[in-house]
Amino acid sequence: MQIEIIRRQGNFLLEAVFRGAASGVTALFGPSGAGKTSIVNMVAGLTRPDRGRIIVNGLCLFDSDRCVDLPPERRRIGYVFQDGRLLPHLSVRANLAYGMRLTPAPRRFVTFDAVVDLLGIGHLLARRPATLSGGEKQRVAIGRALLTSPAMLLMDEPLASLDAARKAEVLPFIMRLSRRFALPILYVSHAMDEILNLADRLVILEDGRVAASGGLEQLLAQPQVQHRLAEGERGSVIATVVESVADAAGLTRLRFGDHVIKVPRIAAPRGASIRVRIAARHVAVALKLPEASSFQNILPARVDTVLDRDDASLVDIRLDLGRPLWARITRRSLVELNLAPGRPVFALIKSVAVSLGASDPSG
Amino acid sequence: MDFWRLTDLEIEALRLSLWVSGWAVAASLPPGILAAWVLARLRFPGKGILDGLVHLPLVLPPVVTGYLLLVLLGRNGLIGAALYAHLGIVLAFNWKGAVLAAAVMSFPLLVRAVRLSLESVDQGLEAAARTLGAGPLRVFFTVTLPLMVPGIITGLILAYARSLGEFGATITFVSNIGGQTQTLPLALYTLTQVPDGEMGALRLCILSVVIAMAALVCAEVLARRFAAHMKG
């Protein structure tokens, strides 16, 4: 996925250049008004860039130099809108089939039944959109886009209009999607929580420009990226592999590099890739290995960077364990422990969040 | 019960009225939808003129509209002469002319109602259908048009009622010929001009009211059906 877009809308200049992965989730993150929806609309062909180039899966959708501008119906891009946009005069079944019927049979990579099954919407087929809940609507909208067997899926804040319970209902389906169909997804969101769960790559948009882009793990290692996150969102994402499903204590051992972290038992086979999220506020630092503690995960590390903020009593420091890991300590501890870059320490990890979608590697 | 026995003249007028109005509405629906779409969705220079032209019959005295039709489409009219010479079509002084007069007079009502419903169709839904692989024409027929149904029903009923009542333009353009152009209002007018016509006039009066009420009820039922359909 290669996107180079220039478009002027009134006083606002959108100038976005980034690449996305051929599969997996690329998250487009930024405050409202940063131009996220404008970008996906241009990828879908609903609005036209002034200049630029949009290439998806080797297919050129738009190129101002070569005068290519495919209409939306020929782009093979599935679009899940923030507000669902189900056709109100059609039943759920007809909504799902609308795009599928327009896709030539040999090009379909997913069957009606498989999608209905994956999204758990079998009991809704005879109903009309007006009678569905928000979460149900979004699941049908996802199914409808998926059934066109698209080369890419655009999702414009598909969870934004849902409450927390409905979010938790839809999120796992989205996670399963990208893994099950090896489908590139461009996922727009201003909720870091969703992105940390879903995204493989991250594009940060600010005032119509790409402020940073790259792999999620690498980007989160950057202090300037941490700066953009809310206090509670700061932290690290680490890709691990299941080493053993249950050790003597019943914990699952996850390996990354030379290190192992233990988490409460998860339903994933040995060798599965699991992404863990470790919030900075859940990581403490000690100079010596504590003799007795309740911490399950104590890992040797080295202080790498101190993210100093003059005004705050708390300081984020980046530890080097082969992978970067952010820890949050008080300014007082920073001084007392004399935590300068290069100093060997132990990282005490209080809690590890296992990414929901990653626990389904086979699916 | 002799009062309710319709004379041949009255039956003929009733039959002709329903026939002429039906044709007028059927013939003006496709151009009506097209005009509504052009006015609601396109931007072009001279759009105001088109808008005015469509609405002209609504504000002009009907006799003026009828006279203009006669001048343009009469046997010796600018367009009428050409129609007769090349296609053998005569509109003046027959039921086809009455259809045209009724269609022209009711056209603005139809366009207004259809345009209103078109403007209320969420264009986001059309965009969504495009991303699902439907071309513009398919989107129109599978998304836009079905969502316009309430407005189309309203427009049709309004136009039908207007056609039934059409008098001025009809009598000016195609005159008052029994069995050809003498619709209900024209027959009623004729009956008021002859001695002993009061009974007939009264019957036609009641008949008009009944037809108009039936049309309104019909529209209401259809609109409710549609609403129920959307709610599922």
PDB file of all heavy atoms in Angstrom, chain A residues 198-223:
ATOM      1  N   LEU A 198      -4.720  -3.504  17.979  1.00  0.00           N
ATOM      2  CA  LEU A 198      -4.935  -3.949  16.601  1.00  0.00           C
ATOM      3  C   LEU A 198      -3.746  -3.785  15.675  1.00  0.00           C
ATOM      4  O   LEU A 198      -3.472  -4.646  14.852  1.00  0.00           O
ATOM      5  CB  LEU A 198      -6.076  -3.130  15.989  1.00  0.00           C
ATOM      6  CG  LEU A 198      -7.497  -3.481  16.296  1.00  0.00           C
ATOM      7  CD1 LEU A 198      -8.413  -2.420  15.703  1.00  0.00           C
ATOM      8  CD2 LEU A 198      -7.830  -4.828  15.710  1.00  0.00           C
ATOM      9  N   ALA A 199      -3.079  -2.650  15.786  1.00  0.00           N
ATOM     10  CA  ALA A 199      -2.239  -2.205  14.675  1.00  0.00           C
ATOM     11  C   ALA A 199      -0.890  -2.907  14.631  1.00  0.00           C
ATOM     12  O   ALA A 199      -0.298  -3.233  15.657  1.00  0.00           O
ATOM     13  CB  ALA A 199      -2.037  -0.697  14.756  1.00  0.00           C
ATOM     14  N   ASP A 200      -0.427  -3.177  13.425  1.00  0.00           N
ATOM     15  CA  ASP A 200       0.946  -3.622  13.223  1.00  0.00           C
ATOM     16  C   ASP A 200       1.823  -2.429  12.868  1.00  0.00           C
ATOM     17  O   ASP A 200       2.957  -2.344  13.272  1.00  0.00           O
ATOM     18  CB  ASP A 200       0.994  -4.642  12.078  1.00  0.00           C
ATOM     19  CG  ASP A 200       0.075  -5.808  12.343  1.00  0.00           C
ATOM     20  OD1 ASP A 200       0.246  -6.433  13.395  1.00  0.00           O
ATOM     21  OD2 ASP A 200      -0.826  -6.059  11.529  1.00  0.00           O
ATOM     22  N   ARG A 201       1.240  -1.544  12.080  1.00  0.00           N
ATOM     23  CA  ARG A 201       1.951  -0.333  11.712  1.00  0.00           C
ATOM     24  C   ARG A 201       1.122   0.863  12.149  1.00  0.00           C
ATOM     25  O   ARG A 201      -0.097   0.786  12.282  1.00  0.00           O
ATOM     26  CB  ARG A 201       2.175  -0.261  10.202  1.00  0.00           C
ATOM     27  CG  ARG A 201       3.186  -1.261   9.679  1.00  0.00           C
ATOM     28  CD  ARG A 201       3.252  -1.181   8.178  1.00  0.00           C
ATOM     29  NE  ARG A 201       3.717   0.106   7.718  1.00  0.00           N
ATOM     30  CZ  ARG A 201       5.006   0.449   7.660  1.00  0.00           C
ATOM     31  NH1 ARG A 201       5.948  -0.404   8.019  1.00  0.00           N
ATOM     32  NH2 ARG A 201       5.368   1.639   7.240  1.00  0.00           N
ATOM     33  N   LEU A 202       1.802   1.968  12.341  1.00  0.00           N
ATOM     34  CA  LEU A 202       1.130   3.153  12.851  1.00  0.00           C
ATOM     35  C   LEU A 202       1.539   4.353  12.008  1.00  0.00           C
ATOM     36  O   LEU A 202       2.725   4.523  11.689  1.00  0.00           O
ATOM     37  CB  LEU A 202       1.522   3.362  14.313  1.00  0.00           C
ATOM     38  CG  LEU A 202       0.936   4.561  15.050  1.00  0.00           C
ATOM     39  CD1 LEU A 202      -0.584   4.504  15.057  1.00  0.00           C
ATOM     40  CD2 LEU A 202       1.456   4.617  16.471  1.00  0.00           C
ATOM     41  N   VAL A 203       0.560   5.139  11.599  1.00  0.00           N
ATOM     42  CA  VAL A 203       0.827   6.398  10.910  1.00  0.00           C
ATOM     43  C   VAL A 203       0.196   7.492  11.759  1.00  0.00           C
ATOM     44  O   VAL A 203      -1.009   7.483  11.990  1.00  0.00           O
ATOM     45  CB  VAL A 203       0.213   6.419   9.491  1.00  0.00           C
ATOM     46  CG1 VAL A 203       0.445   7.765   8.826  1.00  0.00           C
ATOM     47  CG2 VAL A 203       0.770   5.286   8.647  1.00  0.00           C
ATOM     48  N   ILE A 204       1.025   8.393  12.256  1.00  0.00           N
ATOM     49  CA  ILE A 204       0.494   9.477  13.088  1.00  0.00           C
ATOM     50  C   ILE A 204       0.322  10.712  12.229  1.00  0.00           C
ATOM     51  O   ILE A 204       1.255  11.170  11.576  1.00  0.00           O
ATOM     52  CB  ILE A 204       1.441   9.762  14.275  1.00  0.00           C
ATOM     53  CG1 ILE A 204       1.524   8.515  15.166  1.00  0.00           C
ATOM     54  CG2 ILE A 204       0.926  10.955  15.074  1.00  0.00           C
ATOM     55  CD1 ILE A 204       2.451   8.674  16.335  1.00  0.00           C
ATOM     56  N   LEU A 205      -0.896  11.225  12.229  1.00  0.00           N
ATOM     57  CA  LEU A 205      -1.241  12.344  11.367  1.00  0.00           C
ATOM     58  C   LEU A 205      -1.458  13.584  12.226  1.00  0.00           C
ATOM     59  O   LEU A 205      -2.094  13.514  13.275  1.00  0.00           O
ATOM     60  CB  LEU A 205      -2.531  11.997  10.631  1.00  0.00           C
ATOM     61  CG  LEU A 205      -2.699  12.536   9.228  1.00  0.00           C
ATOM     62  CD1 LEU A 205      -1.596  12.042   8.326  1.00  0.00           C
ATOM     63  CD2 LEU A 205      -4.059  12.119   8.693  1.00  0.00           C
ATOM     64  N   GLU A 206      -0.918  14.706  11.750  1.00  0.00           N
ATOM     65  CA  GLU A 206      -1.122  15.937  12.500  1.00  0.00           C
ATOM     66  C   GLU A 206      -1.260  17.090  11.527  1.00  0.00           C
ATOM     67  O   GLU A 206      -0.387  17.288  10.671  1.00  0.00           O
ATOM     68  CB  GLU A 206       0.075  16.171  13.423  1.00  0.00           C
ATOM     69  CG  GLU A 206      -0.337  16.484  14.843  1.00  0.00           C
ATOM     70  CD  GLU A 206       0.878  16.543  15.756  1.00  0.00           C
ATOM     71  OE1 GLU A 206       1.854  17.240  15.401  1.00  0.00           O
ATOM     72  OE2 GLU A 206       0.853  15.886  16.790  1.00  0.00           O
ATOM     73  N   ASP A 207      -2.354  17.808  11.604  1.00  0.00           N
ATOM     74  CA  ASP A 207      -2.605  18.945  10.713  1.00  0.00           C
ATOM     75  C   ASP A 207      -2.383  18.590   9.253  1.00  0.00           C
ATOM     76  O   ASP A 207      -1.758  19.344   8.509  1.00  0.00           O
ATOM     77  CB  ASP A 207      -1.708  20.126  11.092  1.00  0.00           C
ATOM     78  CG  ASP A 207      -2.041  20.651  12.470  1.00  0.00           C
ATOM     79  OD1 ASP A 207      -3.229  20.578  12.834  1.00  0.00           O
ATOM     80  OD2 ASP A 207      -1.128  21.099  13.179  1.00  0.00           O
ATOM     81  N   GLY A 208      -2.859  17.438   8.853  1.00  0.00           N
ATOM     82  CA  GLY A 208      -2.784  17.068   7.453  1.00  0.00           C
ATOM     83  C   GLY A 208      -1.437  16.541   7.006  1.00  0.00           C
ATOM     84  O   GLY A 208      -1.231  16.295   5.824  1.00  0.00           O
ATOM     85  N   ARG A 209      -0.509  16.382   7.942  1.00  0.00           N
ATOM     86  CA  ARG A 209       0.796  15.836   7.571  1.00  0.00           C
ATOM     87  C   ARG A 209       1.107  14.605   8.399  1.00  0.00           C
ATOM     88  O   ARG A 209       0.658  14.469   9.527  1.00  0.00           O
ATOM     89  CB  ARG A 209       1.897  16.871   7.831  1.00  0.00           C
ATOM     90  CG  ARG A 209       1.932  17.936   6.798  1.00  0.00           C
ATOM     91  CD  ARG A 209       2.793  19.089   7.265  1.00  0.00           C
ATOM     92  NE  ARG A 209       2.733  20.145   6.274  1.00  0.00           N
ATOM     93  CZ  ARG A 209       3.484  20.157   5.182  1.00  0.00           C
ATOM     94  NH1 ARG A 209       4.359  19.203   4.967  1.00  0.00           N
ATOM     95  NH2 ARG A 209       3.356  21.130   4.301  1.00  0.00           N
ATOM     96  N   VAL A 210       1.940  13.740   7.841  1.00  0.00           N
ATOM     97  CA  VAL A 210       2.365  12.558   8.575  1.00  0.00           C
ATOM     98  C   VAL A 210       3.480  12.966   9.535  1.00  0.00           C
ATOM     99  O   VAL A 210       4.555  13.396   9.114  1.00  0.00           O
ATOM    100  CB  VAL A 210       2.860  11.464   7.611  1.00  0.00           C
ATOM    101  CG1 VAL A 210       3.416  10.291   8.397  1.00  0.00           C
ATOM    102  CG2 VAL A 210       1.727  11.007   6.719  1.00  0.00           C
ATOM    103  N   ALA A 211       3.209  12.874  10.837  1.00  0.00           N
ATOM    104  CA  ALA A 211       4.198  13.266  11.833  1.00  0.00           C
ATOM    105  C   ALA A 211       5.179  12.122  12.089  1.00  0.00           C
ATOM    106  O   ALA A 211       6.349  12.353  12.391  1.00  0.00           O
ATOM    107  CB  ALA A 211       3.504  13.670  13.135  1.00  0.00           C
ATOM    108  N   ALA A 212       4.720  10.896  11.984  1.00  0.00           N
ATOM    109  CA  ALA A 212       5.581   9.730  12.172  1.00  0.00           C
ATOM    110  C   ALA A 212       4.890   8.529  11.578  1.00  0.00           C
ATOM    111  O   ALA A 212       3.662   8.457  11.568  1.00  0.00           O
ATOM    112  CB  ALA A 212       5.848   9.496  13.667  1.00  0.00           C
ATOM    113  N   SER A 213       5.671   7.588  11.066  1.00  0.00           N
ATOM    114  CA  SER A 213       5.059   6.350  10.609  1.00  0.00           C
ATOM    115  C   SER A 213       6.072   5.225  10.687  1.00  0.00           C
ATOM    116  O   SER A 213       7.272   5.443  10.551  1.00  0.00           O
ATOM    117  CB  SER A 213       4.504   6.491   9.189  1.00  0.00           C
ATOM    118  OG  SER A 213       5.513   6.288   8.238  1.00  0.00           O
ATOM    119  N   GLY A 214       5.589   4.015  10.924  1.00  0.00           N
ATOM    120  CA  GLY A 214       6.476   2.873  11.030  1.00  0.00           C
ATOM    121  C   GLY A 214       5.819   1.751  11.800  1.00  0.00           C
ATOM    122  O   GLY A 214       4.620   1.818  12.092  1.00  0.00           O
ATOM    123  N   GLY A 215       6.604   0.708  12.124  1.00  0.00           N
ATOM    124  CA  GLY A 215       6.080  -0.396  12.918  1.00  0.00           C
ATOM    125  C   GLY A 215       5.669   0.117  14.284  1.00  0.00           C
ATOM    126  O   GLY A 215       6.296   1.020  14.830  1.00  0.00           O
ATOM    127  N   LEU A 216       4.609  -0.453  14.828  1.00  0.00           N
ATOM    128  CA  LEU A 216       4.068   0.031  16.097  1.00  0.00           C
ATOM    129  C   LEU A 216       5.115  -0.024  17.209  1.00  0.00           C
ATOM    130  O   LEU A 216       5.302   0.929  17.954  1.00  0.00           O
ATOM    131  CB  LEU A 216       2.839  -0.802  16.476  1.00  0.00           C
ATOM    132  CG  LEU A 216       2.098  -0.388  17.733  1.00  0.00           C
ATOM    133  CD1 LEU A 216       1.433   0.958  17.537  1.00  0.00           C
ATOM    134  CD2 LEU A 216       1.067  -1.427  18.124  1.00  0.00           C
ATOM    135  N   GLU A 217       5.812  -1.177  17.292  1.00  0.00           N
ATOM    136  CA  GLU A 217       6.794  -1.370  18.350  1.00  0.00           C
ATOM    137  C   GLU A 217       7.916  -0.322  18.281  1.00  0.00           C
ATOM    138  O   GLU A 217       8.274   0.285  19.284  1.00  0.00           O
ATOM    139  CB  GLU A 217       7.412  -2.762  18.179  1.00  0.00           C
ATOM    140  CG  GLU A 217       7.400  -3.603  19.423  1.00  0.00           C
ATOM    141  CD  GLU A 217       7.984  -4.985  19.131  1.00  0.00           C
ATOM    142  OE1 GLU A 217       7.358  -5.768  18.392  1.00  0.00           O
ATOM    143  OE2 GLU A 217       9.081  -5.237  19.628  1.00  0.00           O
ATOM    144  N   GLN A 218       8.435  -0.127  17.070  1.00  0.00           N
ATOM    145  CA  GLN A 218       9.528   0.825  16.894  1.00  0.00           C
ATOM    146  C   GLN A 218       9.073   2.254  17.181  1.00  0.00           C
ATOM    147  O   GLN A 218       9.781   3.038  17.792  1.00  0.00           O
ATOM    148  CB  GLN A 218      10.103   0.762  15.471  1.00  0.00           C
ATOM    149  CG  GLN A 218      10.826  -0.530  15.126  1.00  0.00           C
ATOM    150  CD  GLN A 218       9.859  -1.648  14.744  1.00  0.00           C
ATOM    151  OE1 GLN A 218       8.674  -1.413  14.609  1.00  0.00           O
ATOM    152  NE2 GLN A 218      10.365  -2.863  14.609  1.00  0.00           N
ATOM    153  N   LEU A 219       7.853   2.568  16.716  1.00  0.00           N
ATOM    154  CA  LEU A 219       7.376   3.932  16.904  1.00  0.00           C
ATOM    155  C   LEU A 219       7.174   4.247  18.376  1.00  0.00           C
ATOM    156  O   LEU A 219       7.497   5.335  18.840  1.00  0.00           O
ATOM    157  CB  LEU A 219       6.046   4.136  16.179  1.00  0.00           C
ATOM    158  CG  LEU A 219       6.089   4.625  14.740  1.00  0.00           C
ATOM    159  CD1 LEU A 219       4.713   5.107  14.324  1.00  0.00           C
ATOM    160  CD2 LEU A 219       7.107   5.730  14.553  1.00  0.00           C
ATOM    161  N   LEU A 220       6.642   3.269  19.111  1.00  0.00           N
ATOM    162  CA  LEU A 220       6.377   3.516  20.527  1.00  0.00           C
ATOM    163  C   LEU A 220       7.671   3.693  21.319  1.00  0.00           C
ATOM    164  O   LEU A 220       7.662   4.238  22.413  1.00  0.00           O
ATOM    165  CB  LEU A 220       5.550   2.367  21.118  1.00  0.00           C
ATOM    166  CG  LEU A 220       4.084   2.362  20.710  1.00  0.00           C
ATOM    167  CD1 LEU A 220       3.388   1.137  21.252  1.00  0.00           C
ATOM    168  CD2 LEU A 220       3.381   3.620  21.178  1.00  0.00           C
ATOM    169  N   ALA A 221       8.795   3.229  20.755  1.00  0.00           N
ATOM    170  CA  ALA A 221      10.070   3.403  21.435  1.00  0.00           C
ATOM    171  C   ALA A 221      10.531   4.856  21.378  1.00  0.00           C
ATOM    172  O   ALA A 221      11.401   5.264  22.142  1.00  0.00           O
ATOM    173  CB  ALA A 221      11.120   2.487  20.792  1.00  0.00           C
ATOM    174  N   GLN A 222       9.942   5.625  20.478  1.00  0.00           N
ATOM    175  CA  GLN A 222      10.407   6.999  20.296  1.00  0.00           C
ATOM    176  C   GLN A 222       9.776   7.931  21.329  1.00  0.00           C
ATOM    177  O   GLN A 222       8.561   7.965  21.477  1.00  0.00           O
ATOM    178  CB  GLN A 222      10.056   7.501  18.893  1.00  0.00           C
ATOM    179  CG  GLN A 222      10.772   6.756  17.800  1.00  0.00           C
ATOM    180  CD  GLN A 222      10.353   7.231  16.425  1.00  0.00           C
ATOM    181  OE1 GLN A 222       9.678   8.249  16.289  1.00  0.00           O
ATOM    182  NE2 GLN A 222      10.733   6.480  15.409  1.00  0.00           N
ATOM    183  N   PRO A 223      10.622   8.708  22.026  1.00  0.00           N
ATOM    184  CA  PRO A 223      10.087   9.639  23.029  1.00  0.00           C
ATOM    185  C   PRO A 223       9.065  10.607  22.443  1.00  0.00           C
ATOM    186  O   PRO A 223       8.038  10.885  23.072  1.00  0.00           O
ATOM    187  CB  PRO A 223      11.328  10.398  23.502  1.00  0.00           C
ATOM    188  CG  PRO A 223      12.472   9.491  23.213  1.00  0.00           C
ATOM    189  CD  PRO A 223      12.088   8.704  21.990  1.00  0.00           C
TER     190      PRO A 223
END
